[in-house]
Amino acid sequence: MQRKSLILALLAVLTLGGAAQASLIDRGSGLVYDTALNITWLAAPSGPMDWPAANTWAENLNYGGYTDWRLPATLQPDSTCGTQSGGVSYGINCTGSEMGHLFYKDLGGTVGTPILSSGAPGLALFPNLVSGIYWSGTKYVPPVGAGDYAWIFYMNNGYLQSGSLGADTTNGEYYVLAVRPGDVAPPSNVPEPATLTLVGLGMGWLGWARRRR
């Protein structure tokens, strides 16, 4: 019984260590890894530019030794969005898209408020971020009719929108953030300092309990 209690205590300590880790990790040189989405952001935005130029810019990037950069993806349909219409999701709280996740989950944005006003610690990792409109790499395919539209995200109010829903076409000029799949640093077998401290505390507690027994 006592051994089971010790094991549970250690597991609780390690769980607390994992929960304490932030979703965004600074990899240096303007590269920010999102552990929740398993993607890496290039922290410095570019633009404004139109959608074709934005895609070309991202596809031609060679940064940090990686060449698989792209524009952020927008999930459709997305059940987290505030507005659902005919299989199309848009509006507020769209955390299924990569830009929406960055705004709401990682940077602590709130509806109707510019992202630079959030005061979240993660903002320090994006020192040149602009509270403006950003391109998504996902084209908007209307349920009826045709049009040359792409999804855009408002970092000044947390709104996800497509051209046919009131914004501009792919000819509009907006800001761009590049992203790539996965981490930019190889996995390390060395525990982080916070984890080492928690493990050390747990082992010390085990030793004290054994001495008492």
Side-chain angles (χ1 to χ4, degrees), residues 7 55-56 61 65 81 136 154 185:
I7 293 173
N55 279 283
T56 300
L61 270 178
C81 287
S136 162
Y154 289 74

Side-chain angles (χ1 to χ4, degrees), residues 51-63 66-71 137 176 178-179:
W51 194 72
N55 279 283
T56 300
W57 170 76
E59 290 166 1
N60 290 331
L61 270 178
N62 185 344
Y63 192 90
Y66 297 91
T67 58
D68 53 351
W69 297 96
R70 56 173 175 79
L71 300 190
V176 189
V179 68

Side-chain angles (χ1 to χ4, degrees), residues 19 33 39 53 74 79-80 89 95 106 109 128 131 151 153 160 188 197 204:
Y33 177 55
I39 57 175
T74 294
S79 61
T80 66
S89 309
T95 56
D106 294 331
N128 299 314
S131 291
W151 289 98
F153 190 88
L160 174 69
S188 173
T197 300

Side-chain angles (χ1 to χ4, degrees), residues 51 135 138-142 144-152 162-171:
W51 194 72
W135 281 119
T138 305
K139 291 204 73 173
Y140 170 67
V141 181
V144 179
D148 194 15
Y149 304 111
W151 289 98
I152 55 177
S162 74
S164 66
L165 298 173
D168 211 337
T169 65
T170 53
N171 293 324

Side-chain angles (χ1 to χ4, degrees), residues 75-98:
L75 177 65
Q76 285 295 314
D78 181 356
S79 61
T80 66
C81 287
T83 303
Q84 308 288 333
S85 177
V88 179
S89 309
Y90 60 98
I92 62 174
N93 296 322
C94 297
T95 56
S97 69
E98 290 172 341

Side-chain angles (χ1 to χ4, degrees), residues 2 203-213:
Q2 201 170 28
M203 294 304 293
W205 188 85
L206 270 176
W208 175 81
R210 285 173 177 170
R211 284 195 299 274
R212 286 202 61 182
R213 187 176 62 180

